[in-house]
Amino acid sequence: GSHQVEVLGLAKAQRTVSNGFESGAAPLNAGLAMSLNLNVGSPSAVANTIQIAAGKDTPQDIVDAINASSAGVTAQLVNTGDGLSPYQVVLTGPLGTAGGFTLSTSYGAGSGSPGLTFSNTNPARQAATDAIVKVDGVSYTRSSNALTDVVTGLTLNLKTQTSSPASIDLTRDTSSIKTKIQALVTAYNDVVTIFKEVGDPKSTLDTY
């Protein structure tokens, strides 16, 4: 068949970037215990409390603790090489708006200096969004960019937004079927020839 496909939006994961640190091994809470409250999912957020033990309050320790929690958010410590505080913690959630998350910090008995904060104005920040695609005039919203349930038998891998509808023409690949039918015809003709020779008392073929 033929289908008109228009990509109105791509599914994206939330990405949040922390304030900068001088080192990935510098304590953020004077070496005291602290905790992270990570809420993942929308509209029914799943709360995860991640305990950070005393002496384990460095950016790298926090990244390891978040990844070990299996909360669905991936943490990474990056070195931007920029200025006096090049180290930043980057958090990435699951694809789609349902993978949105929030993180807050409880410093316990510590002063929270320099602390861990996430800026909403960082240019690297990205909001979680769903994929929106219109096929033959019908709009579909999905949390993935690989759509398998929109057109039967077809997987749509969305790469970028389109400025106008694109036409997709589908044809059946009959090359493999043709090859098998040709093999069947050849085998049938071979069998007919063999039976003819076997049943012919005047056959001159030594094999028979």
Side-chain angles (χ1 to χ4, degrees):
S2 180
H3 303 278
Q4 296 295 313
V5 179
E6 187 174 3
V7 182
L8 304 179
L10 295 177
K12 297 180 181 179
Q14 178 179 336
R15 182 173 60 244
T16 307
V17 183
S18 75
N19 54 311
F21 314 109
E22 294 181 3
S23 167
L28 302 182
N29 194 35
L32 299 177
M34 54 188 287
S35 63
L36 305 176
N37 301 308
L38 181 60
N39 297 319
V40 184
S42 177
S44 300
V46 177
N48 300 270
T49 301
I50 304 172
Q51 301 294 339
I52 308 297
K56 293 290 185 178
D57 59 330
T58 70
Q60 184 61 63
D61 290 328
I62 288 176
V63 165
D64 294 340
I66 293 174
N67 290 333
S69 71
S70 301
V73 173
T74 301
Q76 181 183 9
L77 182 65
V78 299
N79 181 357
T80 65
D82 183 23
L84 299 177
S85 303
Y87 290 88
Q88 293 178 314
V89 174
V90 179
L91 303 181
T92 306
L95 277 177
T97 55
F101 62 88
T102 60
L103 185 144
S104 59
T105 308
S106 299
Y107 296 105
S111 61
S113 179
L116 177 67
T117 59
F118 290 88
S119 172
N120 291 330
T121 60
N122 191 296
R125 185 182 185 276
Q126 176 176 277
T129 59
D130 285 330
I132 303 175
V133 61
K134 184 180 290 186
V135 179
D136 298 330
V138 180
S139 293
Y140 300 86
T141 301
R142 296 292 185 270
S143 60
S144 170
N145 290 315
L147 282 59
T148 60
D149 59 347
V150 173
V151 179
T152 302
L154 182 67
T155 297
L156 297 175
N157 290 308
L158 309 183
K159 301 297 184 182
T160 187
Q161 289 185 232
T162 56
S163 57
S164 60
S167 179
I168 297 180
D169 297 315
L170 306 176
T171 57
R172 185 180 300 277
D173 183 5
T174 60
S175 59
S176 61
I177 298 176
K178 180 179 179 181
T179 300
K180 292 179 180 180
I181 292 178
Q182 287 177 333
L184 176 63
V185 171
T186 300
Y188 178 84
N189 290 335
D190 289 345
V191 169
V192 170
T193 300
I194 292 172
F195 282 164
K196 180 179 179 181
E197 291 296 335
V198 170
D200 184 4
K202 296 181 181 181
S203 175
T204 59
L205 294 178
D206 294 337
T207 305
Y208 306 115

